[in-house]
Amino acid sequence: MSVPKFFEFFEAFLKVVDDGNLHAAKDVRNQIAREMALTESDLSEMLPSGKQRTFDNRVAWARTYLDKAGLIETPQRGKYRITDAGRAALKSGAKIDLNYLEKSEEFRAFHDIATQGSFTEKVEEKDESPLEVLESAYKQVTATLASQLMDEVMKLTPFEFERLVVKLLLKMGYGSGIDGAGLVTQASNDGGIDGVIKEDQLGFSQIYIQAKQWAVDQTVGKPEIQKFVGALQGQQAQKGLFITTAKFSSGALQYANNLLGVKVVLVDGTALMKLMIKHGVGVSIEQVYEVKKIDSDFFAEEL
């Protein structure tokens, strides 16, 4: 047999973790392989890139979808556990497929973002070129990665989140070449400032940071930005970065845009995930594909 499709692993995954205990990713994969009687030949099948087993990739995608549907949870990094909803799914006797997962409102929201509608239907209806299909698939993978990345960020402690923000800014090139360019302030005496990035060797220019690890569906309003501006004034600072996992209200955005004498940049959860992915913070490269085309100039020359 060939390696099952990723959605064909849903039920097997749930059965493996049905005991309610925490299970490591490797143990889950091994147990699924045994339960589904996959052969060594099946397990040795590689993705076209040759850099990852097809089985590992598809089980990982199954895990992501089950997690987004609330059928499993990840209370610790790399360890999974079934939820009450997952047990109910198994007991229902229903076929656990994409249609079943669509019953979850959170999954529907995730799936709409990840696939931008139905990826298969989109290709058929618009008769996309192979390159357009590849680009659509890339957007789908990136959207899924951003969602997974946010899940991990929300598991950090507030202090770890502040350190993450400082690391991101350093990775983006701020404070480049300066010893001790970035620091996280003491929680007990931060005066409304969570971190500082030095922009020049002598410290004439600094960026002051406020980092709010709020639920993604929360909204940071104008009062929070006003408090931050007050903290900047207390430091006689002219540059501030307010970064959050949540979103900003229109009032907060308008207030920040109309400030005089001080520059405050607002970065919401969506922008934060994009920056982390772009600058390789908390993510690693899994596959690299080169898309080449005919060099017309080469063949136009006299050979």
Side-chain angles (χ1 to χ4, degrees):
M1 66 179 291
S2 59
V3 179
K5 304 298 183 184
F6 81 93
F7 50 82
E8 295 175 327
F9 284 114
F10 290 165
E11 186 170 341
F13 197 115
L14 288 176
K15 287 180 176 178
V16 167
V17 299
D18 189 31
D19 58 8
N21 296 324
L22 286 174
H23 293 265
K26 183 178 180 181
D27 295 335
V28 172
R29 290 196 300 270
N30 290 341
Q31 186 63 22
I32 287 176
R34 287 193 292 268
E35 294 291 333
M36 300 186 75
L38 296 178
T39 66
E40 286 300 319
S41 176
D42 296 329
L43 297 176
S44 63
E45 180 183 316
M46 304 295 287
L47 293 175
S49 66
K51 295 184 178 180
Q52 186 184 29
R53 295 197 307 175
T54 303
F55 170 73
D56 294 346
N57 179 271
R58 292 180 180 176
V59 171
W61 276 97
R63 193 278 304 174
T64 295
Y65 274 52
L66 291 171
D67 183 77
K68 293 302 178 183
L71 302 187
I72 63 171
E73 60 183 357
T74 314
Q76 295 180 21
R77 296 173 193 172
K79 293 191 176 182
Y80 319 121
R81 180 169 61 200
I82 197 168
T83 63
D84 290 341
R87 288 196 184 91
L90 287 176
K91 291 179 180 179
S92 71
K95 183 178 181 180
I96 304 174
D97 54 13
L98 288 171
N99 288 330
Y100 186 94
L101 268 54
E102 287 283 351
K103 296 178 181 180
S104 164
E105 183 177 345
E106 290 186 1
F107 178 78
R108 289 198 303 272
F110 156 76
H111 206 214
D112 286 344
I113 294 174
T115 62
Q116 299 178 12
S118 171
F119 180 63
T120 303
E121 292 175 1
K122 187 176 179 183
V123 173
E124 293 174 352
E125 291 173 1
K126 294 193 175 182
D127 192 25
E128 294 177 310
S129 69
L131 184 57
E132 289 172 321
V133 171
L134 181 60
E135 290 178 346
S136 294
Y138 174 77
K139 290 178 181 178
Q140 178 183 355
V141 171
T142 302
T144 302
L145 173 61
S147 180
Q148 293 174 313
L149 188 58
M150 179 62 83
D151 290 343
E152 295 302 316
V153 168
M154 293 305 294
K155 294 173 188 175
L156 300 175
T157 66
F159 183 70
E160 288 174 332
F161 178 64
E162 292 166 7
R163 290 180 59 190
L164 168 68
V165 169
V166 170
K167 286 183 179 181
L168 172 61
L169 290 173
L170 292 175
K171 201 71 180 289
M172 291 171 66
Y174 290 95
S176 179
I178 305 173
D179 292 335
L183 62 90
V184 177
T185 57
Q186 293 294 325
S188 60
N189 189 32
D190 62 15
I193 302 297
D194 295 325
V196 180
I197 293 287
K198 297 178 182 178
E199 285 194 283
D200 63 77
Q201 295 283 350
L202 298 178
F204 285 114
S205 180
Q206 299 186 119
I207 300 173
Y208 290 79
I209 307 162
Q210 176 69 269
K212 290 289 186 184
Q213 188 190 28
W214 287 9
V216 294
D217 58 351
Q218 282 188 271
T219 301
V220 178
K222 177 179 174 180
E224 289 295 330
I225 310 304
Q226 290 175 318
K227 291 178 185 177
F228 181 48
V229 171
L232 293 175
Q233 292 173 340
Q235 298 288 336
Q236 296 184 331
Q238 295 181 324
K239 298 179 181 180
L241 171 66
F242 195 113
I243 193 163
T244 181
T245 49
K247 52 189 176 183
F248 294 103
S249 69
S250 57
L253 293 168
Q254 185 176 12
Y255 175 76
N257 288 334
N258 294 331
L259 288 171
L260 297 175
V262 60
K263 176 68 175 178
V264 173
V265 174
L266 306 184
V267 175
D268 63 13
T270 300
L272 173 59
M273 294 305 103
K274 289 180 179 179
L275 288 172
M276 289 181 66
I277 292 171
K278 179 179 179 180
H279 296 281
V281 177
V283 299
S284 58
I285 296 175
E286 183 177 41
Q287 309 288 355
V288 176
Y289 298 95
E290 286 186 340
V291 179
K292 298 184 179 181
K293 65 178 182 178
I294 292 293
D295 184 349
S296 299
D297 291 337
F298 172 83
F299 289 101
E301 295 173 355
E302 187 174 329
L303 298 178

